[in-house]
Amino acid sequence: MLALFIILAALQEPDGDHGDVRRTLVEATVDVDYQPEFPALDNGHNTTVLIDRYHDTIYRINGIASGTATMLEILAADGFQTDYLDEAISAERLAESDVLFIHGLPNDDVQLPNGGIFWRSPLAAEEVDSIVRWVDGGGGLFLSLSHFPNGSGALPLLEAFAVRFRDGYIYSDSYPSFTDPVNGNCSHYFGLSAHDNTLNQDHPLLQDGLPVSRVDLHCGAGVFREAEDVVLRFPAGSANYDATGQISETSDFYAGMIAFNYGTGRVVIATDQGLFRDFIFEFDSGDRVFVTITGPENDNANLFVNTVRWLSPVLR
């Protein structure tokens, strides 16, 4: 069955040039019937995945409304053990774990007495230090960001790994907005594949894993690092819309997912926190869009399996 998660409503507005309408999200449901089917590991590796819910990650949301049920099912089916972190990230807890998930990390919105506002990372300096040292020693970090304002809380950690981040909404004319053909500032639907050079099948994360030929990615932010780190790349000339809806930059080098070695450890960074969630969006136009791991026409589930296996120090 489909479990109702949220209901939104708004008015359609016609697009006079093309006769289209702005599609409005009216329901987001959770696909609880999906059964992951893949050749699971059978070697009893028992990799431990530590999931952060001390910070304001998606795992703070209770039950299936978090959209994480499919990820957890895949982890269990593939022999991964999961544990939850309800305290500040420390070297002691990391030492007991192989892979760390930080999934969605907004900045704190700090309201000052005289009207000023600033965005402050929820990560303490001691947490960043512990994570970086742990990865350097062999740990695997999966960090999933999002468009403004749900990813920039990770900035101190990104800077520690020499990753540059664009906190906005990435848009490309090659992949027009699904929900708003008039303005096209968000809800872009990127079907990334090797066919158009946006899926890097030469990356080691994909070389020995399950087959991945198409990955769906919705509205996300952009990151930069080394060219060889890119798993999912946005088209050349993609634009970054900032929080005010203005184009602040265009680039040929935005990435939607990167993966790289760091010391003896590994890091994977995704810029769409819905990349592996199991929602189905339903629009006032009658369209249904999978977001994203249960989608029948994408390989997001296989990409998730490859990601956690690649990160595991036990499986290297």
Side-chain angles (χ1 to χ4, degrees), residues 33-180:
D33 279 342
Y34 176 80
Q35 297 294 323
E37 297 181 3
F38 64 98
L41 297 174
D42 57 6
N43 63 358
H45 60 95
N46 294 323
T47 299
T48 299
V49 176
L50 183 63
I51 298 174
D52 176 20
R53 62 183 181 195
Y54 171 75
H55 301 100
D56 190 17
T57 69
I58 64 173
Y59 287 90
R60 282 266 192 98
I61 304 171
N62 292 326
I64 60 173
S66 67
T68 64
T70 298
M71 286 187 283
L72 294 174
E73 290 174 8
I74 288 175
L75 288 172
D78 212 25
F80 289 82
Q81 308 297 314
T82 54
D83 190 15
Y84 291 94
L85 185 67
D86 293 303
E87 59 193 27
I89 298 170
S90 65
E92 291 73 22
R93 287 303 306 276
L94 291 173
E96 303 168 353
S97 308
D98 301 302
V99 177
L100 173 65
F101 275 23
I102 304 178
H103 201 145
L105 193 62
N107 265 322
D108 294 330
D109 182 356
V110 180
Q111 308 283 330
L112 300 178
N114 297 311
I117 301 173
F118 77 95
W119 301 93
R120 180 181 63 196
S121 172
L123 289 172
E126 294 80 8
E127 292 179 298
V128 174
D129 186 83
S130 295
I131 294 169
V132 174
R133 292 178 183 275
W134 172 75
V135 172
D136 180 68
L141 171 66
F142 173 65
L143 177 61
S144 188
L145 311 175
S146 187
H147 57 73
F148 180 87
N150 294 311
S152 50
L155 272 174
L157 192 54
L158 295 172
E159 291 173 352
F161 288 117
V163 176
R164 289 171 288 170
F165 176 64
R166 292 298 182 264
D167 189 14
Y169 310 83
I170 302 302
Y171 177 73
S172 168
D173 289 337
S174 303
Y175 294 84
S177 170
F178 180 80
T179 59
D180 188 350

Side-chain angles (χ1 to χ4, degrees), residues 189-223:
Y189 191 74
F190 294 93
L192 306 175
S193 69
H195 175 72
D196 59 5
N197 199 36
T198 54
L199 172 65
N200 179 18
Q201 291 183 317
D202 292 330
H203 194 285
L205 187 149
L206 301 179
Q207 284 292 292
D208 300 318
L210 302 183
V212 177
S213 60
R214 173 192 165 100
V215 176
D216 287 343
L217 184 150
H218 284 259
C219 191
V223 288

Side-chain angles (χ1 to χ4, degrees), residues 210-249:
L210 302 183
V212 177
S213 60
R214 173 192 165 100
V215 176
D216 287 343
L217 184 150
H218 284 259
C219 191
V223 288
F224 301 80
R225 202 172 181 270
E226 302 297 330
E228 61 266 25
D229 301 337
V230 175
V231 179
L232 301 176
R233 60 174 60 91
F234 291 118
S238 292
N240 181 46
Y241 284 83
D242 63 20
T244 68
Q246 304 298 310
I247 294 178
S248 60
E249 181 183 73

